[in-house]
Amino acid sequence: MQFIDLAAQYQHLKQRIDKRIQTVLDHGHYIMGPEVEELEQRLAEYVGVKHCISCANGTDALQLTMMVLDIKPGDAVFCPTFTFFATAEVIAYAGATPVFVDSDERTFNICPQDLEKRIQAVIAEGKLVPKAIIAVDLFGLPANYPELETIAAKYGLKLIEDAAQGFGGEINGKRAGSFGDMATTSFFPAKPLGCYGDGGAIFTNSDEYAALFRSYRVHGKGKDKYDNVRIGINSRLDTIQAAVLLEKLAEFPTELIARNRAAVNYNESLATKYITPLVPEGFLSSWAQYTLISENRDAEMARYKAEGVPTMIYYGTCMHQQTAFKQLAYTDDDLPVASRLAKQVFSLPMHPYLRKSKN
Ligand SMILES: *Cc1c(COP(=O)(O)O)cnc(C)c1O
C-alpha cells in the first residue's frame, strides 16, 4: 500500500498527460509557454479570484508575498507554530520576526484567540511592528478566515493564506486561495493538486499586487523585460509542469469527491478509537492529510505497519522547537496545544485512488 499513490493517478490520466507534455515538446516554449497562461486563467476561475500568478514552488510563492508587502527587519509576522517549515522560514528570510501562535486542538489550524493575544503582546512590548498574518490551511482544511479577517482588519494587518495544502477546500462555498489579501499554493507532487516536479502559485484580487508579483517573479522586471525596476527573483513555473497541471486540474473535482469519500470511511471506522479530524459546519477539506490524534501514537503506528499500512507524522516538530528558531526562546508551555499535537498526531494513507490500489 502507498501513502500517496501517484502512480495510480498517472495510470488513470496517462493518455491525457502524455499528450499535453508532447504538445509542449513539439512547440518548444519551455519557459512561459502558452500552457502557463492557460493554467493561470483556469486556476483563477476555479479559485474564484481575479489573478493567479504561477511560480516555481510554494515556498517562493510565500517569499514573494513578503517581497510584495515589503516585510523587513523590525516587522512581526504571525504564523502557526504547527505547520511546515516554509511558512515561518520566509518570514525570517525577509529579516522579519516570526511570532508563533498556538493551534486549535480540533482543527489543527491557527487559534484566533491565541493570535489576538499575541498581537496585543507585541503591541504592548513595542519592539516590533505588527505587519501581517500567515494562516495555513493545514491538512486541507481552510483556517478560520471569518474570524482571522476580523482580527486582521481590527489591527490593520495584512492576511496571507498559505493554501499549499488547502487547494480545493472551501468555507461556505468560497474556495481556498480566495481568503485574505493574497493566497499561495504549492504543486509539490504530494499536495492535493501536484505536478511532476516543483511548482507554485499566488492568488489575489488586487491589480496592484498582481502587477508586483509578476515583476518580482522575473527579476523585478519593468515594462521592458531588460529594464529591471526592483530587485526580484527568478521563479517561474515550467511549461511542462503547467501542461501536467492542466490535465490534473480537469480531474481534480472528481478526485476531491473520492478524497472526501475516503475520509468519511475513515471517520466511520476510526471514531471510537481515536480523535478523528473535525471539519466545522460550512467547511470543506481537500484532505491533503488524514490525521488522527492518539495518546499511544507509537504503538498505533507499529500496529498499522505490521498490517502493511504506511503512516506518517505531520508534524513531529513545531516551529518553536526547530533548531533554526532556537534564539526566539519559546518553550512548549508557551504553545501547549501545538506541542501536545506534535507528540500525538499521525496520518493515514490519503489519495483519490485508495480503493483501486491493492498493494
Ligand atoms: C508544502 C508546503 C509549503 C511549501 O511548498 P513547496 O512547493 O514545497 O515549496 C509551504 N507551506 C505549507 C503549509 C506546505 O505544506
Side-chain angles (χ1 to χ4, degrees):
M1 190 177 199
Q2 303 276 318
F3 190 73
I4 295 179
D5 198 341
L6 291 172
Q9 184 195 44
Y10 178 57
Q11 281 315 308
H12 183 62
L13 301 174
K14 184 174 179 356
Q15 278 189 337
R16 288 185 266 163
I17 289 177
D18 288 1
K19 192 164 163 241
R20 273 282 190 174
I21 292 176
Q22 189 60 51
T23 305
V24 178
L25 295 175
D26 290 338
H27 70 51
H29 297 292
Y30 298 116
I31 302 292
M32 293 303 207
E35 285 79 3
V36 174
E37 202 184 322
E38 183 184 348
L39 177 71
E40 289 178 342
Q41 282 175 12
R42 297 260 176 92
L43 286 169
E45 274 165 35
Y46 181 85
V47 165
V49 294
K50 202 164 167 196
H51 303 282
C52 169
I53 302 96
S54 60
C55 63
N57 56 69
T59 307
D60 278 4
L62 285 168
Q63 191 190 331
L64 285 161
T65 67
M66 297 292 102
M67 296 171 86
V68 162
L69 293 175
D70 192 27
I71 302 296
K72 52 186 181 297
D75 292 343
V77 179
F78 302 83
C79 77
T81 189
F82 194 55
T83 182
F84 177 65
F85 191 65
T87 314
E89 181 181 32
V90 298
I91 301 168
Y93 192 77
T97 303
V99 178
F100 299 132
V101 181
D102 211 356
S103 308
D104 178 290
E105 63 179 341
R106 287 307 312 281
T107 66
F108 305 116
N109 279 328
I110 190 167
C111 169
Q113 288 74 36
D114 193 55
L115 170 66
E116 186 158 15
K117 267 193 236 159
R118 293 194 190 258
I119 295 169
Q120 288 170 350
V122 168
I123 293 170
E125 205 185 17
K127 283 189 186 149
L128 299 168
V129 184
K131 280 282 177 70
I133 303 157
I134 307 181
V136 179
D137 303 341
L138 206 66
F139 308 146
L141 181 73
N144 189 345
Y145 292 103
E147 288 192 27
L148 295 174
E149 282 168 356
T150 305
I151 294 171
K154 182 171 168 187
Y155 294 95
L157 305 179
K158 298 293 180 197
L159 179 59
I160 300 153
E161 175 188 8
D162 179 354
Q165 302 177 18
F167 190 85
E170 294 180 11
I171 305 176
N172 296 321
K174 196 172 183 303
R175 288 207 164 121
S178 69
F179 299 103
D181 297 281
M182 51 188 68
T184 64
T185 198
S186 163
F187 304 124
F188 182 83
K191 308 281 176 171
L193 178 65
C195 57
Y196 291 151
D198 277 310
I202 299 145
F203 302 95
T204 182
N205 281 316
S206 156
D207 296 343
E208 188 194 332
Y209 289 152
L212 284 171
F213 280 122
R214 290 187 192 284
S215 169
Y216 275 118
R217 123 180 118 166
V218 186
H219 306 292
K221 73 174 165 118
K223 284 212 170 62
D224 181 293
K225 190 176 166 187
Y226 293 103
D227 178 26
N228 300 79
V229 296
R230 53 181 67 83
I231 302 300
I233 57 175
N234 173 18
S235 185
R236 296 170 297 218
L237 180 71
D238 292 348
T239 311
I240 287 183
Q241 299 304 342
V244 170
L245 284 165
L246 279 163
E247 290 308 323
K248 289 220 198 179
L249 180 61
E251 192 67 12
F252 188 76
T254 309
E255 291 189 347
L256 207 50
I257 294 167
R259 283 177 181 277
N260 268 288
R261 198 180 301 129
V264 168
N265 289 342
Y266 273 147
N267 284 343
E268 282 171 0
S269 58
L270 300 170
T272 54
K273 275 196 80 176
Y274 309 102
I275 300 176
T276 51
L278 177 77
V279 177
E281 186 70 35
F283 283 60
L284 208 72
S285 177
S286 60
W287 299 107
Q289 302 295 344
Y290 183 87
T291 302
L292 297 165
I293 302 174
S294 168
E295 282 174 29
N296 307 306
R297 174 172 73 186
D298 292 353
E300 293 302 322
M301 287 177 72
R303 197 177 56 73
Y304 276 108
K305 191 176 179 192
E307 291 170 10
V309 177
T311 58
M312 301 284 275
I313 296 173
Y314 299 111
Y315 293 95
T317 310
C318 295
M319 290 310 103
H320 72 274
Q321 298 164 334
Q322 296 283 351
T323 308
F325 291 128
K326 224 172 19 194
Q327 80 283 5
L328 295 174
Y330 287 85
T331 68
D332 286 359
D333 290 339
D334 295 328
L335 298 146
V337 175
S339 300
R340 178 172 59 78
L341 290 174
K343 289 199 183 91
Q344 297 185 341
V345 290
F346 70 103
S347 304
L348 294 182
M350 170 53 81
H351 59 83
Y353 303 88
L354 267 178
R355 278 154 180 259
K356 287 181 193 152
S357 42
K358 294 192 181 69
N359 46 42

